[in-house]
Amino acid sequence: MKLTTRGRYAVTAMLDLALNGDKGPISLAAISQRQDISLSYLEQLFAKLRKNDLVASVRGPGGGYRLSRCREQINVADIISAVNESTDSTSCQGKGDCQKGEACLTHHLWDGLSHQIHDFLSGISLGSLTEQNEVRRVSERQISAAEETVVNAEALNL
Amino acid sequence: MKLTTRGRYAVTAMLDLALNGDKGPISLAAISQRQDISLSYLEQLFAKLRKNDLVASVRGPGGGYRLSRCREQINVADIISAVNESTDSTSCQGKGDCQKGEACLTHHLWDGLSHQIHDFLSGISLGSLTEQNEVRRVSERQISAAEETVVNAEALNL
DNA sequence: TGTTTACCCGACTAAAAAGCTTGGTTATTT
DNA sequence: AAATAACCAAGCTTTTTAGTCGGGTAAACA
């Protein structure tokens, strides 16, 4: 499984949705602000998330995104696969033709590792993440930081 | 843990050493031929493997590399860390200062995953890999392919 | 109706990493 | 001395990542 910041961004954004999306859709602008991810990069990620039916969009003022299923039914492996369109560690995408049409020496090793990682991540749902104390604490900090920014902006007459 | 082809190459090369290095040192040229990895790229990888004391070198004709310990005492995680000099999935290298000095929402998740991958890979030694039937089969194919190349070269008066 | 909000989409770019090349030097053996 | 193979350092090419820009289009609301 390919683990890059791309997947991290996607999971973080989806977790933001799970945490803050109880009362209506969440705009990418809000996620961008809370999670420090560039808006247009988020747009690209959410295009893929939408194609993979993990989120649904609501257009127009007050619009944004919401999870397309309940948070217990979306796991981390789903999210990473959606934005990476690849879930394994082998160079041959599990086909076994890594060396001139045949399996390379370590093909089985990477194959096993891919499964290991996938199993681990698919056992973790957005729901279970939102229940973690650590996550809640960080989330609350982010919300107050965002509110503070709004207050500051108002004080400056913006 | 960072999983790229770099780590794959390194593990493959080390496994080649474990499989073929019973009778004296193995040259990088031989590994390059058998495993389809560019010689100078191998040189770079082995420089790191040597610094991390996973291999020892013998210079001069007939020289090459050998494992610095017996193959049961070298595991896959060691090898990957040696060439990547990084073993975790978090963006902050486990420090927890991913977002403006504080832990980001998913810090714990990546931290857990890192451990999961590391545990899996550190449980697999070069010794145990060499005992796998699949690995033996592929290895034998590679050796005969290499010999064939030599025969062909001789036939062409090279 | 028109303006605002926010999704949608494609192309483009900067920067980093990965993979590989070139061109040497040094140690050892034959 | 010649051949071999490790050692070393720049630099290059390709790919991936992260992000920008500039335009859309759909929906809400005043």
Side-chain angles (χ1 to χ4, degrees), chain B residues 70-143:
Chain B
C70 77
R71 46 197 188 207
E72 278 70 30
Q73 288 182 311
I74 297 178
N75 68 56
V76 175
D78 291 338
I79 299 170
I80 295 182
S81 319
V83 296
N84 276 339
E85 45 245 12
S86 152
T87 331
D88 73 336
S89 305
T90 61
S91 58
C92 55
Q93 285 81 45
K95 289 186 308 251
D97 56 351
C98 347
Q99 192 183 24
K100 295 177 182 160
E102 307 246 21
C104 71
L105 261 188
T106 51
H107 178 80
H108 269 47
L109 174 64
W110 306 122
D111 215 36
L113 177 62
S114 289
H115 279 102
Q116 186 88 357
I117 297 176
H118 191 272
D119 288 352
F120 174 74
L121 291 177
S122 64
I124 300 176
S125 72
L126 285 179
S128 64
L129 281 176
T130 57
E131 279 157 26
Q132 292 181 9
N133 287 332
E134 166 74 11
V135 168
R136 295 202 138 136
R137 231 194 48 231
V138 175
S139 174
E140 271 157 38
R141 198 190 68 226
Q142 290 176 336
I143 291 171

Side-chain angles (χ1 to χ4, degrees), chain B residues 51-72:
Chain B
K51 270 180 207 142
N52 284 269
D53 202 39
L54 294 175
V55 296
S57 65
V58 180
R59 301 182 82 162
Y65 287 91
R66 56 182 178 74
L67 300 180
S68 63
R69 293 172 251 154
C70 77
R71 46 197 188 207
E72 278 70 30

Side-chain angles (χ1 to χ4, degrees), chain A residues 74-94:
Chain A
I74 298 178
N75 68 56
V76 175
D78 292 337
I79 299 171
I80 295 183
S81 319
V83 296
N84 276 338
E85 45 243 15
S86 152
T87 331
D88 73 336
S89 305
T90 62
S91 58
C92 54
Q93 287 80 45

